[in-house]
Every structure is written in structure tokens, then in C-alpha cells.
């Protein structure tokens, strides 16, 4: 699908997505600003912002090999974990002033162990993310949020006040509102932006100083108001899956005529569809509740699958989706299970669905094309 | 919509078919072993006997419509014992020799069902058994969210299954780090598990009965520790055929807190002590003492483990299940008991202990075993399901280098011999032993 947008702002987002250190982040660093990496979207970035740092979602963008990481991990580990660790071992993450983890999955939780032993980053912090979503876990994770706040403040020699935390929450909520607005535009018959372009916008949001990003996004939304939409699609697609930060993957789907109009991705709706409750009395509790109960959850959370499934079905309805594509990184157990369950749920609901395996660095484009074409044909498109 | 009684009965009849076949297999093995007067064989016979007894108990409950549950060894089976709730592991079949005749067929059937081939075969099979109606549906279930992603997803898929979704499930949430906060939290999870069990069965937890069970299980763990010390002897009195696996099966599955289990441990210690005094090893000429840092390759164990002894004089001195530092649970009051159980079931249970938290935990285990058991080499089989372990190979290698002990990572499937064939594994190990000048 041809891009219709000739937007400078979009180009800035796309550039930020295709590299690690984008110009805006570089200029933040040049002014003495600090950047703290997050290995997973469950790290409460608001705390990092409140500490006066830029949260940066760790990726493997630009990696071409896993030679160094292969001395730590093995071939049955997912390619995201291998590429991102490889980059760290090569020094590509030397720009980070800190890095934070949750034990997302069996692969990423060990990256923490390797990083701690092999990479020289001034500040490291691991949060114990629970695997259930009841009030007890909200309480536990709120304590974890408080511990991150204390530990980061101690490391930086500052205090992080409640007021600063609220300011950060409001700033991040603003991002979420703007991003959701962008998604709302895609509900139309002729969405003004493609799925690939949207992913670039979303990824850029995890790599730039937040106020600057919000300002750019506002500008983009204004531009989109006057742009022509896409009407040449064969089908409207909902894309779901784990870590996907490469717009080129979606481009291949869209080249076949499947316009991605919505998603459930961790560089997508899962991080912004809902807001942190600004009416709570305690910002730490508000964050604890948001991350464990408030936002759409990842497969690793027990007790939440019916909700996740309902979320997908609601998106299908709201975005008038013709079919659902689910992508999974080879070796990812969390998404194997999730794909299996979704297959059953969507079959029951009569929604066309296809599961695709992929590697973190784009490969097998021909096969992807063929599978997508077959899927579109199967839907009679 | 809740399933009706007739459907449940049909599910039960079908689910019991395979279950009864497995029982018959263990009956057969028990009779076979009974004919051999060797003391150690008799110990093994007792293990198969108590296995049959558990099968009988579950079958009886199922047929008489009495409560029985799905449970796990690292989710305080002491509680199930105290509540007099018979339980079975929904994941047990792939781990039992009884599954051998149909294991590979089942693996293929699981694949045909759409369960990804890179997902732990034990989980794939367990889900397949449930989807295909080959497991007896329990009254309610305790699921598992550790040590691996695969287990977490398996239990979610079980809850989602259209027939099993009416069977209530509770999972204890495992804290990631080992500290007092984690113990307190997990103790709370165990208490919530008790509430759940009381709600969904007709049983109540009697704290005095729990104390009795724990006191008895404390004795079992003390004896297990004594036995583990005996295995330090050179030559090692037992190999892969007797040790961690059986101790685990007795103390954490089939005889939790039962005097019969304690008696089994006493006999084990007694027999082993005599062997040590007589300097009698499991093989005549022990040349390599290896640490097998995982589960045994259940799907093809007889094709591989004896070969190590016969061909190389290599003795499995310790495995992942055999030497975790159990502490007695303090039975003074309810609070100390739950906290003690939290610690035991989370930080001391095999596999969950090594695979759950940060790498330091398993790293210290490797160092401890290598030193205490005078290990000549560490073998990390690298089961295809153990993604966290495979993500740790660099750390394992580093630790072994520091300890100056050779290390090998094979890369296999504990259940499916087609993943890496026993021949390939033998070849890899043989070359490793030769290159390291072992044997
Ligand atoms: S893709 Fe799956 S295995 Fe890889 S980091 Fe994400 S959750 Fe973990
Ligand atoms: S990966 Fe290991 S711990 Fe997890 S289910 Fe499979 S055998 Fe068990």
C-alpha cells in the first residue's frame, strides 16, 4: 500500500524507529539529560520520567548478527532477546544511563542476568512483576513501583515527589490520548494512515523525550485531518502479537492489500488504550493498578485471558476488521499459548484468523507474502 | 454454561481409560520387580506400588464421585495431604515410563492440533491430553505459573478449554526473588489456595492435622538430606536409577507427610549406608562422576543413561532433583507453618528452585554440587522446553570455568527422541569426554 503522507513529522518518527539514538534523543543527551532503558512495556515508565530521565524501550533495531549473544544464550531463545543482547554486548547501548527489567518471559529475564555480568550500565533494576491480576497483585506491584522510585532516586541523588509522579502520569496519559486519537482516525472507511506508519509513530514514542514527542504527534494529527485516506485495501486487518517494532513487516502485509487498521501489540494498543487513573489519591497505587489491571494485558498474566480475548473481539467490531493476523517470534512460549487460545476463541466467534511465525530481523518475506495472500483469498478478498 | 452431570460422567469415563492403562503398566512393573530380591530393586518396587496406590485412589474417587484435585508438588502438597484430598498432576503422563508405548504418537497428535513444536513437549502433551479428553477431570485444580512460560500458558489454556472451563482453578503466584517479602507473599498465596480448596471441595483444613503432616514430612526431608550426603562417597553407591527422582516422588507426590514414605527413606538410607561402608559403587569401575543438571530424558531414558555407565564408567552422582537444601518447617503455629511451607515449596523444591528466579540461584547450586560431590563434569542436557536454562548457558559455562570443571550443553527433548536422537547425544557426549580426557 502506497504511503499517501508526505509529512516531515512522520519522517521524524520513521527515522526514530529505524535507529536507536534519534536526533531528539541525542540532543537530550548533549544537554546532559539521562536515558533509562526499559526491557518491557510493564516497566512503569512514568517513574523514570518523574526522575527527570527519558525512558527508552530497548530494541534490537539495526542488529545484523547475534555472534556475541550466542555465547550467552542458545538457539532456542527468541531472536529479539538474542539481537538486543548482542547490541548491548557490542556497546550499542552505551548511551543508556540505566536499564530496568521485569521478568517478562524466560528469555528476557535471563538477559538481565547477562547484562548485569557483562554490560557496564551505571544503574540496573529488576522489578518482580506478578503473573496474576487480582488486587493482591496490584498491591504487590505498587510496592515494586515504590521500590523503583526509591532506588532510582537514590541512584540519582534526588527525591521523586508525588507531585512529580503525577506530572509524569499526566504527561504519559497525554501521549496515550493522542495515540488513541490517531487510532480512532483509522476506524474510518479510508484511514488516513497505514498500519506500518502507525507502528513507526508508536515506536518513536518509546525513544524520544516525551514532551517533544507529544508536540510532534499533535502536529501529525493536525496534518492527518486534511490528508486523503486509503481506499484501495482488499481487507481490514487486526494485527496481534508480541514484540514487533519493525514497520517493514506490516508493509509486506499491506503491500498485499491487507490494511492494518488496529492491533494488540506491546508497541501498540496494549500500552495506551487505557489511561492511568488520575483520580486515585496515591500516584504509586494508581500506577500499580494500571499496570496490573488497568491496561490490556500480555499473555503471561493468568486469569486475564477472557478479557484479552474480549478486547480482541471488541477491536474487530470497532474497527470493522475482516481478519486477524497473529504474529509470534519463533521460540516464544507465551505467544504460542496465546495464539492457540485465540485460534479457538476466534473460531467460535467466526472471525478469520491466521497465525504467523517470524524472526525479529525481517527474513522470509516471500513466505510472508504467500501466507498473507492465501489468507486474503481465504476470506474471499 | 456449566457442563451437566451426564457430560461430566462421559468425560470421566473417557479420561479414566488412559489413566487405568497407566495403572496397569505400573502394576505389571511392580510384579516384575517383586520377583527380584535385590534390596534396591525392592525399594523401586515400593515406589511403583505407591504409584499404583495413588492411581487406585484417584480412580475410586472418580468412580464414586468423591472430590479429587489436580495439584503440584511445588504448591504445598502438604496441604492436600492434611485436607485428605487425593491429587494427581495433569502433567504427569510424559514423565512416566507408562507413557512409552504411545508417547511419540501423542506428540504428533499434539502437533496436528496446532500446538507449536517449539513449546515444551511436556506441556504440549498435557494440553493435548486435556483437549482430547484423555485426562480425568478433577473436582478443582491448582495450576502452576512457574518455573517456565510454558507452564503458565498451559494452565491458561486448560482454563479456557471448553470442557474444562467449568473446573475451577487456582494458581499460586510465584515471587521472583528470594527474600522475606517473597516468603510472606507466597504464604499469603498458599492461604488463599486453602480458601479456594475449602470452597470447591467438602474438606476443611485442620491446622493440627497440617502440623502432623509437616512433622512427618520434616522427617522425610531430614532423611533425604542424610541420603544426599551418602552419595558423596567414592565410588558413588547409586547412579541414575535410584536417587533424586524417587526421593522426590515419595516425599512430594505419593507419600507427602506419610509414615510409609518416611519408612521408605529409612530403608534407602540404611541400604546406602551399608554400601558406602563396604565401598560398593553402582558400577565396578567408576571413572567419571557427572552432575546431570536437569530432569532425566524420560522418553528414552533406557537407551541413554545405562550407556553412560557401561561405555564410559560415568556415574550420575547428582541431578537437579537430588540435592536441594531442605529445611525443616517450623510447626510452632499456623503462621510459621505457612511461611515454612512457602519457603520449602518455592525456594527449595527442585526445578522451581533452580529455574524460577535470577541466575544466581542456580549458579550457587552448581557450585555447591560440584564441590560437595567432587564432580568431574557438568552436563546441561538443555531440554527444548527449558528456555530460561538455555538462556543461561553462558553463565553455566562461566561458573564451570571458574570451578575448573568441564561443562557440556547437549540440546535435546527429554520426551521426544527424534529431536536429538540418543545416538547423536551419545556421539556428542563421547567426543566431549574424550576431548576433556575423562574416562
Ligand atoms: S517475543 Fe516472547 S520470548 Fe521473545 S521477548 Fe517477547 S515474550 Fe519473550
Ligand atoms: S519447560 Fe520444563 S519446567 Fe516447564 S513444563 Fe516443560 S519440563 Fe516442566
Amino acid at each position: 500500500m502506497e504511503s499517501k503522507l508526505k509529512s516531515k513529522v512522520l519522517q521524524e518518527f520513521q527515522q526514530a524507529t529505524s535507529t536507536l539514538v534519534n536526533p531528539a534523543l541525542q540532543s537530550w543527551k548533549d544537554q546532559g539529560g539521562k536515558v533509562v532503558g526499559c526491557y518491557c512495556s510493564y516497566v512503569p515508565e512514568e517513574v523514570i520520567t518523574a526522575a527527570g530521565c527519558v525512558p527508552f524501550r530497548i530494541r534490537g533495531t539495526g542488529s545484523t548478527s547475534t555472534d556475541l549473544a550466542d555465547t550467552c544464550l542458545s538457539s532456542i531463545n527468541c531472536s529479539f532477546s538474542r539481537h538486543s543482547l548482542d547490541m548491548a554486548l557490542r556497546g550499542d547501548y552505551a548511551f543508556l544511563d540505566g536499564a530496568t527489567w521485569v521478568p517478562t518471559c524466560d528469555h528476557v529475564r535471563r538477559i538481565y542476568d547477562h547484562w548485569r555480568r557483562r554490560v557496564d550500565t551505571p544503574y540496573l533494576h529488576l522489578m518482580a512483576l506478578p503473573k496474576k491480576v487480582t488486587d493482591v497483585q496490584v498491591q504487590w506491584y505498587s510496592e515494586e513501583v515504590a521500590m523503583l522510585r526509591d532506588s532510582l532516586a537514590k541512584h540519582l541523588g534526588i527525591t521523586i515527589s508525588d507531585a512529580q509522579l503525577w506530572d509524569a502520569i499526566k504527561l504519559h496519559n497525554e501521549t496515550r490520548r493522542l495515540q488513541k486519537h490517531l487510532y480512532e482516525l483509522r476506524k474510518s472507511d479510508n484511514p488516513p494512515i497505514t498500519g506500518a506508519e502507525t507502528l513507526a509513530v508508536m515506536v518513536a514514542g518509546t525513544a524520544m523525550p516525551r514532551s517533544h514527542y507529544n508536540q510532534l504527534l499533535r502536529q501529525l494529527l493536525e496534518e492527518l485531518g486534511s490528508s486523503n485516506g486509503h481506499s484501495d485495501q482488499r481487507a481490514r486487518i487486526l494485527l496481534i502479537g508480541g514484540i514487533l517494532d519493525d514497520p517493514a513487516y506490516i508493509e509486506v502485509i499491506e503491500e498485499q492489500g491487507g490494511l492494518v487498521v488496529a492491533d494488540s501489540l506491546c508497541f501498540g494498543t496494549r500500552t495506551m488504550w487505557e489511561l492511568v487513573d488520575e483520580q486515585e489519591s496515591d500516584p504509586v497505587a494508581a500506577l500499580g493498578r494500571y499496570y496490573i489491571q488497568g491496561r490490556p494485558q500480555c499473555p503471561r498474566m493468568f486469569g486475564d485471558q477472557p478479557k484479552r480475548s474480549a478486547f480482541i473481539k471488541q477491536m474487530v467490531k470497532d474497527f470493522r476488521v475482516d481478519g486477524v493476523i497473529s504474529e509470534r517470534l519463533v521460540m516464544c512460549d507465551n505467544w504460542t499459548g496465546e495464539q492457540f487460545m485465540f485460534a479457538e476463541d476466534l473460531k467460535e466467534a467466526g472471525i478469520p484468523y491466521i497465525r504467523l511465525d517470524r524472526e525479529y530481523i525481517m527474513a522470509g518475506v516471500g513466505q510472508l507474502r504467500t501466507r498473507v495472500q492465501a489468507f486474503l483469498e481465504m476470506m474471499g478478498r | 454454561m456449566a457442563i451437566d452431570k451426564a457430560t461430566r460422567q462421559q468425560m470421566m469415563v473417557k479420561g479414566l481409560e488412559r489413566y487405568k492403562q497407566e495403572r496397569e503398566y505400573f502394576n505389571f512393573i511392580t510384579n516384575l520387580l517383586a520377583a527380584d530380591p535385590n534390596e534396591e530393586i525392592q525399594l523401586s518396587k515400593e515406589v511403583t506400588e505407591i504409584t499404583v496406590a495413588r492411581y487406585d485412589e484417584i480412580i475410586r474417587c472418580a468412580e464414586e464421585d468423591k472430590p479429587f484435585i489436580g495439584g503440584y508438588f511445588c504448591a504445598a502438597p502438604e496441604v492436600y495431604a492434611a485436607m485428605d484430598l487425593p491429587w494427581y498432576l495433569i502433567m504427569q503422563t510424559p514423565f512416566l515410563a507408562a507413557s512409552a508405548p504411545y508417547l511419540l504418537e501423542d506428540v504428533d497428535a499434539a502437533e496436528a492440533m496446532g500446538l507449536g513444536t517449539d513449546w515444551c513437549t511436556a506441556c504440549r502433551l498435557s494440553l493435548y491430553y486435556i483437549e482430547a479428553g484423555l485426562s480425568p477431570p478433577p473436582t478443582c485444580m491448582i495450576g502452576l505459573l512457574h518455573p517456565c512460560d510454558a507452564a503458565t500458558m498451559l494452565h491458561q489454556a486448560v482454563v479456557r478449554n471448553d470442557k474444562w472451563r467449568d473446573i475451577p482453578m487456582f494458581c499460586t503466584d510465584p515471587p521472583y526473588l528470594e527474600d522475606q517479602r517473597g516468603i510472606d507473599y507466597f504464604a499469603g498465596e498458599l492461604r488463599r489456595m486453602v480458601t479456594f480448596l475449602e470452597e470447591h471441595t467438602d474438606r476443611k483444613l485442620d491446622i493440627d492435622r497440617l502440623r502432623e503432616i509437616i512433622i512427618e514430612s520434616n522427617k522425610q526431608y531430614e532423611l533425604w538430606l542424610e541420603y544426599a550426603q551418602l552419595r558423596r562417597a567414592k565410588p558413588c553407591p547409586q547412579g541414575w536409577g535410584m536417587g533424586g527422582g524417587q526421593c522426590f516422588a515419595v516425599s512430594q507426590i505419593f507419600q507427602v507427610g506419610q509414615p510409609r514414605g518416611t519408612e521408605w527413606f529409612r530403608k534407602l538410607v540404611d541400604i546406602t549406608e551399608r554400601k558406602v561402608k563396604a565401598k560398593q559403587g553402582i558400577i565396578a569401575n567408576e571413572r567419571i562422576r557427572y552432575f546431570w543438571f536437569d530432569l532425566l530424558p524420560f522418553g528414552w531414558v533406557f537407551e541413554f543413561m545405562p550407556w553412560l555407565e557401561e561405555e564410559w564408567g560415568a556415574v550420575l552422582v547428582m541431578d537437579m532433583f537430588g540435592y536441594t537444601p531442605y529445611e525443616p518447617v517450623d510447626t510452632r503455629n499456623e503462621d510459621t507453618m505457612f511461611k515454612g511451607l512457602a519457603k520449602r515449596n518455592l525456594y527449595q523444591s527442585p526445578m522451581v528452585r533452580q529455574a524460577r528466579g535470577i541466575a544466581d540461584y542456580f549458579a550457587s547450586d552448581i557450585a555447591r554440587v560440584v564441590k560437595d560431590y567432587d564432580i568431574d563434569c557438568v552436563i546441561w542436557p538443555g531440554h527444548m522446553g527449558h528456555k530460561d536454562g538455555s538462556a543461561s548457558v553462558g553463565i553455566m559455562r562461566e561458573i564451570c570455568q571458574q570451578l575448573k570443571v568441564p561443562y557440556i550443553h547437549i540440546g535435546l527433548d527429554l520426551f521426544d527422541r527424534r529431536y536429538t536422537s540418543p545416538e547423536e547425544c551419545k556421539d556428542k557426549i563421547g567426543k566431549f569426554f574424550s576431548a576433556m580426557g575423562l574416562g
Side-chain angles (χ1 to χ4, degrees), chain A residues 44 47 127 141-150 284 287-288:
Chain A
V47 177
M127 300 177 76
Y141 203 59
S142 300
E143 287 167 24
E144 290 288 330
V145 173
M147 283 152 69
L148 171 66
R149 166 185 172 160
D150 291 349
V284 167
L287 288 170

Side-chain angles (χ1 to χ4, degrees), chain B residues 52-158:
Chain B
V52 170
R54 175 64 60 83
Y55 272 90
D56 283 340
E57 204 179 4
I58 297 291
I59 293 166
R60 196 172 46 248
C61 289
E63 291 181 340
E64 292 173 9
D65 204 17
K66 296 208 169 106
F68 67 98
I69 64 167
Y72 278 98
F73 57 91
C74 47
E78 292 87 346
V79 168
Y80 323 148
M83 292 176 81
D84 197 18
L85 273 171
W87 62 284
Y88 85 102
L89 285 146
I90 57 157
M91 236 199 254
Q92 73 190 22
T93 302
F95 293 90
L96 299 174
S99 63
Y102 35 76
L103 192 75
L104 295 183
E105 256 172 56
D106 291 346
V107 173
D108 293 341
E111 191 182 338
M113 194 173 256
L115 298 169
T117 50
D118 54 43
W119 212 29
C120 170
T121 305
C123 283
R124 261 190 287 162
L125 284 169
S126 307
L127 185 53
Y128 162 70
Y129 293 137
I130 285 169
E131 295 278 335
L134 298 172
S135 294
T139 314
C140 61
M141 293 183 67
I142 303 302
L144 211 58
L145 304 181
H146 54 263
C148 60
D149 297 339
T152 307
M153 297 316 294
L154 164 67
H155 291 95
Q156 298 199 58
V158 171

Side-chain angles (χ1 to χ4, degrees), chain A residues 51-65:
Chain A
C53 306
V54 169
F56 181 95
R57 194 64 193 278
I58 291 174
R59 292 179 263 129
T61 308
S63 172
T64 50
S65 82

Side-chain angles (χ1 to χ4, degrees), chain B residues 403-438:
Chain B
L403 295 165
K404 297 194 174 35
V405 62
Y407 161 85
I408 184 172
H409 163 209
I410 306 177
L412 47 76
D413 184 329
L414 296 169
F415 311 96
D416 188 344
R417 61 195 302 286
R418 299 166 300 188
Y419 185 96
T420 308
S421 71
E423 284 63 40
E424 285 172 88
C425 292
K426 285 177 188 172
D427 185 52
K428 219 169 169 180
I429 289 274
K431 285 183 178 142
F432 164 71
F433 283 162
S434 300
M436 295 295 147
L438 296 167

Side-chain angles (χ1 to χ4, degrees), chain A residues 78 80 104-105 107-108 243 329 332 334:
Chain A
C78 94
F80 163 65
T104 309
C105 64
H107 312 251
V108 159
I243 186 152
L329 283 188
C332 174
N334 284 340

Side-chain angles (χ1 to χ4, degrees), chain A residues 51-115:
Chain A
C53 306
V54 169
F56 181 95
R57 194 64 193 278
I58 291 174
R59 292 179 263 129
T61 308
S63 172
T64 50
S65 82
T66 58
D67 295 347
L68 294 182
D70 291 344
T71 66
C72 299
L73 311 173
S74 88
S75 57
I76 65 165
N77 293 117
C78 94
S79 46
F80 163 65
S81 57
R82 288 190 284 136
H83 281 286
S84 56
L85 177 62
D86 202 84
M87 293 188 89
L89 294 171
R90 282 177 198 284
D92 293 339
Y93 275 109
F95 69 92
L96 292 181
D97 300 285
T100 47
W101 277 260
V102 298
T104 309
C105 64
D106 291 340
H107 312 251
V108 159
R109 64 193 177 96
R110 284 284 171 261
I111 303 290
Y112 164 77
D113 295 301
H114 291 294
W115 196 296

